[in-house]
Amino acid sequence: MHPRIEDYALIGDEQTAALVGRDGSVDWLCLPRFDSPACFAKLLGDQENGHWRIAPKGAEGPCTRRAYRPGTLVLDTEWETAEGSVRVTDLMPQRDLAPDLVRVVEGLGGRVTVRSTLRLRFDYGAVMPWMRRSDGHRVAVAGPDSTWLRSEPAVPTWGEGFGTHSQFTVAAGEKVAFVLTWHPSHQPRPPLVDPYEALETSVADWRAWASRCRYDGPHRDAVVRSLITLKALTYAPTGGIVAAATTSLPEEPGGVRNWDYRYCWLRDSTLTLGALVSCGYQEEAEAWRNWLLRAVAGDPADLQIMYGLAGERRLPEFEVPWLSGFAESTPVRVGNEAVNQLQLDVYGEVMDSLSLAREAGLSTTGDMWALQCALMTFLASAWRQPDEGLWEMRGGRRHFVHSKVMVWVAADRAVRALEENPKLRGDLAGWCAMRDEVHREVCEKGYDAERNTFTQYYGSRELDASLLLIPRVGFLPPDDPRVIGTIDAIRDELGHGGFVRRYSAEESNVDGLPGSEGTFLACSFWLADALHMSGRTKEARELFDRLVGLGNDVGMLSEEYDPVAGVQLGNVPQAFSHIGLVNTALTLFGGDGAG
């Protein structure tokens, strides 16, 4: 039986991340970066595509229980067996020169025989490395990749069935540690880490970071867990935050909506900045803002919707045919073709992010305003074009209402910057006129007066959950009858099992793809925000409680949820979902919950 998406927990070192299943198997790990080829790809194939399982001998199913140590990304997985009990602690310590995966086995009671099975397969499970012994290590080498496996001297390892195996017994209080270290194969082995010291330091460092969270309202544990997850999805060298740690986890089991999310989207920028600043993480907010500035530097006409971890622009999409896909969902994709799309909303998101950063007191640079003026100059001539919209539609360009609303946001933030900062220079009259024209056009062409709702694109009868952001960005006040009507229409027509879909994928060919998808968690958080802003706080809080309950046993949220099957869908953990949780908590309880 194939695992479910919610069976996985995340560990990471802020440069890459691994997914650990309930059965004690690491089934996904890309080294040395989030977007590198995976050396454990069982998640998207089978055990021959690479994994590393440590569990009691004979234990085929899931563990008895598991949990993160409070305030950390250190995972404890425990089994109760007839012989006794045992714990496996998994972590990836902050790296110095090389990434390390540390796994510590500890006896809790009785005497338990434990088995370790390691199958390394580089390049997304396609390349079997050459194995040798060196200085008590098991060394794997293939092309540019090399790993070193180190265990206690008293724990023997042997090769069998194209894997590396260990078997040992632990009694109460006894510990056995394993460390898997990656480095480029042409370089010497990096310095060894002490696994027990790394564990102690990681726990202390994560708890110190989590303690800085200023939010102290309802569901604080879920908010802190979401912030830790966002921190774990941060590529520390640049400050970029990836959308998810995985690629190709399906939005529909057996379907083709399988995308690579191991990149940084501009659409996340404003919401991420707001969450970090409001919860007291100025340093992380500034690092993300600086990544944003570097990524978008250049010709405004070349602005992309997403970039690589360091701001790379070329993210070519290709399929990996030797992987069978999660639950037989193919194709498995690497890269993302949507990088070439025109999405006008990103100009609004960049302008809104820089406005928020300025209001939050983040440091400024001399060329920041010059960049914003260049963006506005381009947008003034380009905003009338159709585009692919927020959801990366592959069914052709249209005049998406959300895109036009975000154009209005760009103009509005530019006007406000000039009005609030007399030293700045810009085309105040032109930007005011542009703001008014966009607003007038959206209200005329993007609004269905008969149904009292804004629509997905000009002239359509389709709805889109991104319209829930209209009051949040200030395009219309939350008590405007058109906003109220849009909220009700989206809840009625896009609602499913108490949550919200992005749009009606089954009823429209707007995205150019077959099949369907689940309810979108970020959109469901937006509905809670909109309900609260329009005065329906009781309904908003009830929805928020249900959304928090969708997290798995360790608080991870994926991109989507199937309320009929009761399972998570899409890539995991999804930054957009966790950002939504944090921001909705702040919206509903911020007055009482954040210091």
Side-chain angles (χ1 to χ4, degrees), residues 213-290:
C213 176
R214 295 197 310 220
Y215 178 80
D216 195 27
H219 296 296
R220 186 179 191 277
D221 288 347
V223 170
V224 172
R225 177 53 52 197
S226 289
L227 289 166
I228 289 173
T229 302
L230 291 174
K231 179 71 168 172
L233 293 174
T234 301
Y235 185 64
T238 66
I241 300 175
V242 296
T246 57
T247 178
S248 300
L249 292 183
E251 297 176 15
E252 178 187 32
V256 300
R257 298 167 183 262
N258 317 318
W259 313 110
D260 193 347
Y261 277 11
R262 297 172 298 157
Y263 308 111
C264 308
W265 265 257
L266 298 190
R267 74 183 183 199
D268 302 1
S269 57
T270 306
L271 299 174
T272 303
L273 270 174
L276 292 172
V277 168
S278 297
C279 290
Y281 293 101
Q282 295 281 115
E283 182 180 334
E284 287 75 13
E286 191 154 324
W288 172 237
R289 192 281 313 272
N290 291 342

Side-chain angles (χ1 to χ4, degrees), residues 44 54 125 292:
L44 300 177
I54 299 180
L292 178 67

Side-chain angles (χ1 to χ4, degrees), residues 187-362:
Q187 295 181 357
R189 185 196 69 192
L192 303 178
V193 301
D194 182 313
Y196 302 109
E197 181 180 322
L199 171 58
E200 184 178 337
T201 301
S202 292
V203 169
D205 287 349
W206 275 111
R207 285 180 175 165
W209 188 86
S211 70
R212 292 164 47 197
C213 176
R214 295 197 310 220
Y215 178 80
D216 195 27
H219 296 296
R220 186 179 191 277
D221 288 347
V223 170
V224 172
R225 177 53 52 197
S226 289
L227 289 166
I228 289 173
T229 302
L230 291 174
K231 179 71 168 172
L233 293 174
T234 301
Y235 185 64
T238 66
I241 300 175
V242 296
T246 57
T247 178
S248 300
L249 292 183
E251 297 176 15
E252 178 187 32
V256 300
R257 298 167 183 262
N258 317 318
W259 313 110
D260 193 347
Y261 277 11
R262 297 172 298 157
Y263 308 111
C264 308
W265 265 257
L266 298 190
R267 74 183 183 199
D268 302 1
S269 57
T270 306
L271 299 174
T272 303
L273 270 174
L276 292 172
V277 168
S278 297
C279 290
Y281 293 101
Q282 295 281 115
E283 182 180 334
E284 287 75 13
E286 191 154 324
W288 172 237
R289 192 281 313 272
N290 291 342
W291 174 90
L292 178 67
L293 287 172
R294 293 191 301 270
V296 305
D299 187 342
D302 296 331
L303 190 69
Q304 298 183 178
I305 67 169
M306 75 182 88
Y307 295 85
L309 306 180
E312 298 92 343
R313 290 173 175 259
R314 299 190 185 277
L315 310 174
E317 181 179 305
F318 60 92
E319 296 179 6
V320 184
W322 59 86
L323 290 177
S324 59
F326 185 92
E328 306 299 319
S329 304
T330 56
V332 171
R333 294 183 173 94
V334 171
N336 201 310
E337 191 177 274
V339 71
N340 299 313
Q341 290 188 350
L342 173 66
Q343 294 184 19
L344 293 172
D345 64 288
V346 298
Y347 291 87
E349 282 142 8
V350 170
M351 292 295 292
D352 200 21
S353 294
L354 298 180
S355 174
L356 175 61
R358 185 167 52 247
E359 293 169 3
L362 301 186

Side-chain angles (χ1 to χ4, degrees), residues 91-104 137 148 150-152 177-182 189-199 201-202:
L91 66 143
M92 293 188 72
Q94 290 292 308
R95 72 175 74 172
D96 183 11
L97 297 177
D100 298 288
L101 172 55
V102 175
R103 313 196 73 184
V104 178
H137 293 72
W148 293 64
R150 176 164 51 104
S151 60
E152 310 286 348
F178 294 83
V179 182
L180 182 70
T181 303
W182 179 94
R189 185 196 69 192
L192 303 178
V193 301
D194 182 313
Y196 302 109
E197 181 180 322
L199 171 58
T201 301
S202 292

Side-chain angles (χ1 to χ4, degrees), residues 14 22 35 66 107 139 145 168 214 219 239 245 264 277 330 372 377 380 410 444 465 471 513 522 546-547 573 589:
E14 295 179 59
R22 293 177 189 265
D35 58 351
R66 66 176 180 173
V139 184
D145 299 294
F168 52 94
R214 295 197 310 220
H219 296 296
C264 308
V277 168
T330 56
Q372 293 173 80
T377 298
E444 290 176 357
L513 296 166
R546 295 198 304 274
L547 284 164
F589 311 108

